């Protein structure tokens, strides 16, 4: 029998479930209401990008935004998981970017259309290395930050999340069964802004992990 190594979860083709508007300061900066229930959307596994490969700006967007987020990697699947047992289902974490074609998202919002083109294109989910659970004893209280060309653009603390990680795992698993290797993106703090070709994005979680990505244009 072969055992799969969760530290390469992005190779497994599992789900990427994203939570939107989970930080009040970010909901406000985009003039969205504070949600009463989590806002959920999906990316596909082809969105994954690891360090060394460039983030590609889709041909149809002129306003690609960075969103730095803590990602939760599921280690044990389940349906209708209780909040009290939710953390037993976590294998670890990854620092993630929810790259967003903001112009397309604004257009989709105004037309009442889904966000797939804005959120789920190839390279829209750059990720750090896998972080084993033990390295982040309190995922509800870590600082995440992002610099673009050495300028700080986003820095927030996961304690500012509207919906906690155990709540999100429980809520999502009522609707979508979670599987080993799934990733949950937990939302972004304020400071989202546009990136340009050749920009360098450098991001981290406290002193636990850091990652660097360059931006390039999709070849015509
Ligand atoms: O596009 C958005 O503003 C929603 C989202 O992903 C987030 O809040 O992280
Ligand atoms: Mg996001």
């Amino acid at each position: 029998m072969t055992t799969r190594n969760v530290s390469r979860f992005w190779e497994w083709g599992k789900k990427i479930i994203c939570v939107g508007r989970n930080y009040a300061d970010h909901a406000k900066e985009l003039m969205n209401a504070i949600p009463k229930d989590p806002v959920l959307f999906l990316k596909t596994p082809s969105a994954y990008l690891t360090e060394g490969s460039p983030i590609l700006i889709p041909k149809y967007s002129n306003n690609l935004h960075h969103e730095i987020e803590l990602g939760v990697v599921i280690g044990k699947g389940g349906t209708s998981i209780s909040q009290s047992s939710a953390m037993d289902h976590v294998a670890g974490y990854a620092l993630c970017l929810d790259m967003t074609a903001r112009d397309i998202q604004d257009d989709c919002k105004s037309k009442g259309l889904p966000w797939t083109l804005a959120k789920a294109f190839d390279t829209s989910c750059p990720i750090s290395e896998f972080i084993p659970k033990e390295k982040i004893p309190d995922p509800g209280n870590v600082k995440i930050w992002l610099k673009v060309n050495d300028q700080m653009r986003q820095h927030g603390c996961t304690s500012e999340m509207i919906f906690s990680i155990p709540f999100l795992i429980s809520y999502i698993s009522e609707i979508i069964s979670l599987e080993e290797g799934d990733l949950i993106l937990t939302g972004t703090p304020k400071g989202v802004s546009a990136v340009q070709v050749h920009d360098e994005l450098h991001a981290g979680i406290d002193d636990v992990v850091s990652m660097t990505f360059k931006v390039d244009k999709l070849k015509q």
Side-chain angles (χ1 to χ4, degrees):
M1 199 182 96
T2 53
T3 50
R4 295 187 302 178
N5 184 350
V6 74
S7 71
R8 297 185 73 80
F9 67 91
W10 58 87
E11 294 177 345
W12 295 5
K14 297 293 181 181
K15 300 183 288 296
I16 306 173
I17 302 163
C18 307
V19 180
R21 303 176 188 167
N22 200 23
Y23 289 75
D25 56 4
H26 170 64
K28 278 187 206 144
E29 76 180 340
L30 294 187
M31 290 181 299
N32 291 309
I34 308 296
K36 291 201 179 66
D37 298 303
V39 173
L40 301 182
F41 59 93
L42 299 172
K43 290 183 189 278
T44 72
S46 60
Y48 276 131
L49 189 74
T50 52
E51 277 181 285
S53 300
I55 297 166
L56 298 175
I57 304 178
K59 284 181 216 163
Y60 51 76
S61 176
N62 292 310
N63 194 16
L64 181 65
H65 276 197
H66 53 76
E67 294 190 356
I68 193 69
E69 311 201 1
L70 179 66
V72 178
V73 181
I74 298 299
K76 187 174 78 173
T79 306
S80 300
I81 298 167
S82 67
Q83 278 196 66
S84 58
S85 66
M87 295 313 288
D88 299 341
H89 292 259
V90 174
Y93 306 93
L95 185 59
C96 307
L97 279 160
D98 169 16
M99 297 306 297
T100 303
R102 195 70 69 199
D103 45 354
I104 306 303
Q105 187 193 35
D106 289 345
D107 193 47
C108 293
K109 279 183 187 169
S110 71
K111 293 179 178 156
L113 293 172
W115 295 354
T116 309
L117 265 65
K119 291 284 197 180
F121 55 90
D122 288 356
T123 79
S124 64
C125 193
I127 51 166
S128 71
E129 65 194 52
F130 174 75
I131 305 160
K133 191 179 183 177
E134 310 72 57
K135 286 207 175 169
I136 303 187
D138 185 3
N141 191 17
V142 285
K143 294 200 180 60
I144 54 176
W145 55 267
L146 171 92
K147 289 179 181 177
V148 179
N149 304 330
D150 255 348
Q151 297 228 317
M152 191 65 85
R153 294 266 186 97
Q154 291 190 269
H155 54 92
C157 184
T158 55
S159 61
E160 296 158 28
M161 285 184 195
I162 297 170
F163 302 108
S164 70
I165 292 168
F167 180 88
L168 290 171
I169 290 172
S170 177
Y171 180 88
I172 292 167
S173 73
E174 286 287 338
I175 305 162
I176 302 169
S177 293
L178 290 172
E179 298 167 278
E180 187 186 15
D182 284 348
L183 177 73
I184 300 173
L185 264 61
T186 56
T188 198
K190 74 163 190 273
V192 300
S193 65
V195 298
Q196 316 294 338
V197 175
H198 305 314
D199 277 353
E200 189 176 81
L201 278 56
H202 183 49
I205 303 176
D206 285 332
D207 55 2
V208 177
V209 84
S210 70
M211 64 182 192
T212 303
F213 287 92
K214 285 241 177 197
V215 179
D216 208 342
K217 205 162 52 188
L218 193 66
K219 303 282 176 292
Q220 300 293 326

